[in-house]
Amino acid sequence: MENKAISELIQLIKDNPELEVMAMVDCDVVGDDYGQYNLARFSRTEVDEYVISPYSSKMMFKSDDDVFDTLEEYLSNEEYERLPDDLDGCRPIYNGLPWKKAIFVYVKPIDE
């Protein structure tokens, strides 16, 4: 598993040298209060698009395709209340959010 994730990461970087590499660290990796480094491993890698809510700092991924939840997190309450009630009406607004593309490396504890 580990070597496969590293090989995939190397290939993704070669294929997408313009993209930032972001680490998605499992909370079990950093769940102590000692202020030291913790041993972990790469579990998987992927290219995805993300947006961060200006209101909650929550990160949403485009691949999740959670149109209504993402718009509710990203837009102000007033903007959200003015949205159409149907998916087809909301899809262009969702697609128009300032999505950023990146390479994501998922990091898990070594015992998983």
Side-chain angles (χ1 to χ4, degrees):
M1 169 86 108
E2 185 175 349
N3 289 335
K4 181 181 179 205
I6 292 170
S7 297
E8 289 172 354
L9 174 60
I10 291 168
Q11 190 61 51
L12 286 174
I13 292 170
K14 285 180 182 178
D15 293 345
N16 304 278
E18 73 286 359
L19 296 182
E20 185 174 6
V21 177
M22 312 268 293
M24 299 296 289
V25 182
D26 188 289
C27 64
D28 290 335
V29 173
V30 293
D32 68 32
D33 295 327
Y34 298 109
Q36 63 187 17
Y37 288 93
N38 294 290
L39 190 59
R41 71 177 56 177
F42 292 171
S43 65
R44 66 185 171 96
T45 60
E46 66 186 13
V47 173
D48 204 347
E49 293 179 74
Y50 71 98
V51 67
I52 298 175
S53 169
Y55 301 102
S56 68
S57 299
K58 181 178 177 183
M59 179 184 284
M60 286 85 57
F61 292 96
K62 196 167 191 183
S63 64
D64 290 340
D65 200 36
D66 291 332
V67 174
F68 293 113
D69 289 343
T70 299
L71 291 173
E72 184 174 18
E73 284 289 335
Y74 191 84
L75 301 175
S76 69
N77 290 337
E78 296 80 22
E79 291 171 316
Y80 185 75
E81 291 298 321
R82 290 193 304 261
L83 288 175
D85 291 334
D86 64 302
L87 183 63
D88 289 339
C90 289
R91 178 72 64 188
I93 300 162
Y94 173 83
N95 288 336
L97 293 178
W99 297 101
K100 295 179 184 176
K101 195 172 189 179
I103 298 169
F104 290 92
V105 179
Y106 289 81
V107 180
K108 295 275 191 179
I110 60 169
D111 57 348
E112 285 190 16

